[in-house]
PDB file of all heavy atoms in Angstrom:
ATOM      1  N   LEU A 136      35.014  -7.365  11.333  1.00 77.00           N
ATOM      2  CA  LEU A 136      36.152  -6.447  11.489  1.00 77.00           C
ATOM      3  C   LEU A 136      37.468  -7.194  11.443  1.00 77.00           C
ATOM      4  O   LEU A 136      38.443  -6.776  10.771  1.00 77.00           O
ATOM      5  CB  LEU A 136      36.013  -5.689  12.816  1.00 77.00           C
ATOM      6  CG  LEU A 136      37.135  -4.674  13.107  1.00 77.00           C
ATOM      7  CD1 LEU A 136      37.178  -3.611  12.014  1.00 77.00           C
ATOM      8  CD2 LEU A 136      36.897  -4.014  14.461  1.00 77.00           C
ATOM      9  N   GLY A 137      37.532  -8.369  12.115  1.00 77.00           N
ATOM     10  CA  GLY A 137      38.729  -9.171  12.057  1.00 77.00           C
ATOM     11  C   GLY A 137      39.048  -9.643  10.650  1.00 77.00           C
ATOM     12  O   GLY A 137      40.210  -9.643  10.218  1.00 77.00           O
ATOM     13  N   SER A 138      38.020 -10.052   9.910  1.00 76.00           N
ATOM     14  CA  SER A 138      38.201 -10.500   8.526  1.00 76.00           C
ATOM     15  C   SER A 138      38.719  -9.365   7.655  1.00 76.00           C
ATOM     16  O   SER A 138      39.589  -9.586   6.815  1.00 76.00           O
ATOM     17  CB  SER A 138      36.871 -11.043   7.988  1.00 76.00           C
ATOM     18  OG  SER A 138      36.991 -11.409   6.641  1.00 76.00           O
ATOM     19  N   ALA A 139      38.179  -8.147   7.875  1.00 69.00           N
ATOM     20  CA  ALA A 139      38.614  -7.005   7.069  1.00 69.00           C
ATOM     21  C   ALA A 139      40.061  -6.647   7.357  1.00 69.00           C
ATOM     22  O   ALA A 139      40.848  -6.373   6.460  1.00 69.00           O
ATOM     23  CB  ALA A 139      37.700  -5.811   7.344  1.00 69.00           C
ATOM     24  N   LEU A 140      40.445  -6.684   8.647  1.00 75.00           N
ATOM     25  CA  LEU A 140      41.824  -6.362   9.030  1.00 75.00           C
ATOM     26  C   LEU A 140      42.791  -7.398   8.468  1.00 75.00           C
ATOM     27  O   LEU A 140      43.912  -7.070   8.025  1.00 75.00           O
ATOM     28  CB  LEU A 140      41.946  -6.292  10.540  1.00 75.00           C
ATOM     29  CG  LEU A 140      41.273  -5.071  11.207  1.00 75.00           C
ATOM     30  CD1 LEU A 140      41.261  -5.244  12.736  1.00 75.00           C
ATOM     31  CD2 LEU A 140      41.950  -3.796  10.806  1.00 75.00           C
ATOM     32  N   TRP A 141      42.378  -8.668   8.475  1.00 71.00           N
ATOM     33  CA  TRP A 141      43.213  -9.756   7.930  1.00 71.00           C
ATOM     34  C   TRP A 141      43.409  -9.529   6.420  1.00 71.00           C
ATOM     35  O   TRP A 141      44.540  -9.637   5.903  1.00 71.00           O
ATOM     36  CB  TRP A 141      42.587 -11.080   8.198  1.00 71.00           C
ATOM     37  CG  TRP A 141      43.334 -12.239   7.610  1.00 71.00           C
ATOM     38  CD1 TRP A 141      43.154 -12.836   6.401  1.00 71.00           C
ATOM     39  CD2 TRP A 141      44.437 -12.920   8.208  1.00 71.00           C
ATOM     40  NE1 TRP A 141      44.036 -13.867   6.189  1.00 71.00           N
ATOM     41  CE2 TRP A 141      44.858 -13.940   7.291  1.00 71.00           C
ATOM     42  CE3 TRP A 141      45.105 -12.776   9.433  1.00 71.00           C
ATOM     43  CZ2 TRP A 141      45.916 -14.798   7.566  1.00 71.00           C
ATOM     44  CZ3 TRP A 141      46.165 -13.663   9.721  1.00 71.00           C
ATOM     45  CH2 TRP A 141      46.555 -14.636   8.795  1.00 71.00           C
ATOM     46  N   ALA A 142      42.330  -9.235   5.737  1.00 71.00           N
ATOM     47  CA  ALA A 142      42.410  -9.048   4.273  1.00 71.00           C
ATOM     48  C   ALA A 142      43.280  -7.836   3.915  1.00 71.00           C
ATOM     49  O   ALA A 142      44.027  -7.844   2.940  1.00 71.00           O
ATOM     50  CB  ALA A 142      41.006  -8.845   3.679  1.00 71.00           C
ATOM     51  N   TRP A 143      43.238  -6.781   4.752  1.00 70.00           N
ATOM     52  CA  TRP A 143      44.003  -5.585   4.451  1.00 70.00           C
ATOM     53  C   TRP A 143      45.464  -5.705   4.885  1.00 70.00           C
ATOM     54  O   TRP A 143      46.400  -5.453   4.115  1.00 70.00           O
ATOM     55  CB  TRP A 143      43.349  -4.408   5.185  1.00 70.00           C
ATOM     56  CG  TRP A 143      44.097  -3.121   5.060  1.00 70.00           C
ATOM     57  CD1 TRP A 143      44.582  -2.508   3.934  1.00 70.00           C
ATOM     58  CD2 TRP A 143      44.514  -2.267   6.148  1.00 70.00           C
ATOM     59  NE1 TRP A 143      45.217  -1.331   4.216  1.00 70.00           N
ATOM     60  CE2 TRP A 143      45.198  -1.171   5.582  1.00 70.00           C
ATOM     61  CE3 TRP A 143      44.362  -2.323   7.549  1.00 70.00           C
ATOM     62  CZ2 TRP A 143      45.745  -0.148   6.383  1.00 70.00           C
ATOM     63  CZ3 TRP A 143      44.869  -1.295   8.326  1.00 70.00           C
ATOM     64  CH2 TRP A 143      45.562  -0.230   7.744  1.00 70.00           C
ATOM     65  N   GLY A 144      45.666  -6.213   6.140  1.00 69.00           N
ATOM     66  CA  GLY A 144      47.018  -6.217   6.686  1.00 69.00           C
ATOM     67  C   GLY A 144      47.845  -7.407   6.264  1.00 69.00           C
ATOM     68  O   GLY A 144      49.056  -7.310   6.109  1.00 69.00           O
ATOM     69  N   VAL A 145      47.227  -8.561   6.066  1.00 69.00           N
ATOM     70  CA  VAL A 145      47.962  -9.797   5.766  1.00 69.00           C
ATOM     71  C   VAL A 145      47.868 -10.125   4.284  1.00 69.00           C
ATOM     72  O   VAL A 145      48.908 -10.435   3.656  1.00 69.00           O
ATOM     73  CB  VAL A 145      47.447 -10.968   6.617  1.00 69.00           C
ATOM     74  CG1 VAL A 145      48.168 -12.254   6.269  1.00 69.00           C
ATOM     75  CG2 VAL A 145      47.552 -10.662   8.099  1.00 69.00           C
ATOM     76  N   GLN A 146      46.698 -10.087   3.723  1.00 69.00           N
ATOM     77  CA  GLN A 146      46.533 -10.478   2.328  1.00 69.00           C
ATOM     78  C   GLN A 146      46.851  -9.343   1.364  1.00 69.00           C
ATOM     79  O   GLN A 146      46.954  -9.554   0.155  1.00 69.00           O
ATOM     80  CB  GLN A 146      45.093 -10.971   2.093  1.00 69.00           C
ATOM     81  CG  GLN A 146      44.768 -12.257   2.871  1.00 69.00           C
ATOM     82  CD  GLN A 146      43.357 -12.726   2.614  1.00 69.00           C
ATOM     83  OE1 GLN A 146      42.485 -11.933   2.296  1.00 69.00           O
ATOM     84  NE2 GLN A 146      43.166 -14.035   2.748  1.00 69.00           N
ATOM     85  N   GLY A 147      47.011  -8.126   1.892  1.00 69.00           N
ATOM     86  CA  GLY A 147      47.442  -7.002   1.076  1.00 69.00           C
ATOM     87  C   GLY A 147      46.356  -6.429   0.161  1.00 69.00           C
ATOM     88  O   GLY A 147      46.679  -5.772  -0.819  1.00 69.00           O
ATOM     89  N   LYS A 148      45.102  -6.699   0.496  1.00 72.00           N
ATOM     90  CA  LYS A 148      44.013  -6.143  -0.343  1.00 72.00           C
ATOM     91  C   LYS A 148      43.888  -4.640  -0.075  1.00 72.00           C
ATOM     92  O   LYS A 148      44.269  -4.132   0.981  1.00 72.00           O
ATOM     93  CB  LYS A 148      42.708  -6.841  -0.061  1.00 72.00           C
ATOM     94  CG  LYS A 148      42.684  -8.310  -0.510  1.00 72.00           C
ATOM     95  CD  LYS A 148      41.298  -8.917  -0.360  1.00 72.00           C
ATOM     96  CE  LYS A 148      41.279 -10.337  -0.889  1.00 72.00           C
ATOM     97  NZ  LYS A 148      39.944 -10.948  -0.763  1.00 72.00           N
ATOM     98  N   ALA A 149      43.362  -3.935  -1.052  1.00 69.00           N
ATOM     99  CA  ALA A 149      43.159  -2.491  -0.889  1.00 69.00           C
ATOM    100  C   ALA A 149      42.242  -2.223   0.297  1.00 69.00           C
ATOM    101  O   ALA A 149      41.332  -3.016   0.588  1.00 69.00           O
ATOM    102  CB  ALA A 149      42.539  -1.915  -2.177  1.00 69.00           C
ATOM    103  N   PHE A 150      42.489  -1.088   0.932  1.00 63.00           N
ATOM    104  CA  PHE A 150      41.748  -0.755   2.154  1.00 63.00           C
ATOM    105  C   PHE A 150      40.224  -0.750   1.900  1.00 63.00           C
ATOM    106  O   PHE A 150      39.461  -1.311   2.669  1.00 63.00           O
ATOM    107  CB  PHE A 150      42.221   0.607   2.673  1.00 63.00           C
ATOM    108  CG  PHE A 150      41.464   1.076   3.920  1.00 63.00           C
ATOM    109  CD1 PHE A 150      41.892   0.660   5.152  1.00 63.00           C
ATOM    110  CD2 PHE A 150      40.379   1.921   3.806  1.00 63.00           C
ATOM    111  CE1 PHE A 150      41.235   1.073   6.297  1.00 63.00           C
ATOM    112  CE2 PHE A 150      39.693   2.315   4.954  1.00 63.00           C
ATOM    113  CZ  PHE A 150      40.131   1.893   6.201  1.00 63.00           C
ATOM    114  N   ASN A 152      38.504  -2.207  -0.489  1.00 67.00           N
ATOM    115  CA  ASN A 152      38.008  -3.563  -0.771  1.00 67.00           C
ATOM    116  C   ASN A 152      37.903  -4.389   0.462  1.00 67.00           C
ATOM    117  O   ASN A 152      36.951  -5.175   0.662  1.00 67.00           O
ATOM    118  CB  ASN A 152      38.890  -4.248  -1.800  1.00 67.00           C
ATOM    119  CG  ASN A 152      38.800  -3.614  -3.177  1.00 67.00           C
ATOM    120  OD1 ASN A 152      37.828  -2.948  -3.479  1.00 67.00           O
ATOM    121  ND2 ASN A 152      39.805  -3.816  -4.008  1.00 67.00           N
ATOM    122  N   ALA A 153      38.908  -4.266   1.343  1.00 59.00           N
ATOM    123  CA  ALA A 153      38.928  -5.070   2.559  1.00 59.00           C
ATOM    124  C   ALA A 153      37.784  -4.701   3.510  1.00 59.00           C
ATOM    125  O   ALA A 153      37.159  -5.568   4.108  1.00 59.00           O
ATOM    126  CB  ALA A 153      40.271  -4.892   3.266  1.00 59.00           C
ATOM    127  N   PHE A 154      37.515  -3.410   3.591  1.00 67.00           N
ATOM    128  CA  PHE A 154      36.525  -2.971   4.572  1.00 67.00           C
ATOM    129  C   PHE A 154      35.103  -2.881   3.988  1.00 67.00           C
ATOM    130  O   PHE A 154      34.169  -2.531   4.715  1.00 67.00           O
ATOM    131  CB  PHE A 154      36.968  -1.659   5.191  1.00 67.00           C
ATOM    132  CG  PHE A 154      38.035  -1.812   6.222  1.00 67.00           C
ATOM    133  CD1 PHE A 154      39.371  -1.874   5.852  1.00 67.00           C
ATOM    134  CD2 PHE A 154      37.692  -1.980   7.549  1.00 67.00           C
ATOM    135  CE1 PHE A 154      40.368  -2.053   6.800  1.00 67.00           C
ATOM    136  CE2 PHE A 154      38.688  -2.150   8.525  1.00 67.00           C
ATOM    137  CZ  PHE A 154      40.023  -2.191   8.159  1.00 67.00           C
ATOM    138  N   ARG A 156      33.432  -5.402   3.354  1.00 72.00           N
ATOM    139  CA  ARG A 156      32.684  -6.478   3.993  1.00 72.00           C
ATOM    140  C   ARG A 156      32.046  -6.045   5.318  1.00 72.00           C
ATOM    141  O   ARG A 156      31.171  -6.741   5.830  1.00 72.00           O
ATOM    142  CB  ARG A 156      33.605  -7.682   4.219  1.00 72.00           C
ATOM    143  CG  ARG A 156      34.816  -7.426   5.143  1.00 72.00           C
ATOM    144  CD  ARG A 156      35.812  -8.576   5.021  1.00 72.00           C
ATOM    145  NE  ARG A 156      36.391  -8.659   3.713  1.00 72.00           N
ATOM    146  CZ  ARG A 156      37.103  -9.693   3.282  1.00 72.00           C
ATOM    147  NH1 ARG A 156      37.289 -10.733   4.090  1.00 72.00           N
ATOM    148  NH2 ARG A 156      37.618  -9.696   2.051  1.00 72.00           N
TER     149      ARG A 156
END
Side-chain angles (χ1 to χ4, degrees):
L136 181 59
S138 175
L140 290 171
W141 177 267
W143 176 51
V145 178
Q146 296 180 332
K148 292 187 178 181
F150 179 85
N152 291 339
F154 282 86
R156 61 193 66 193

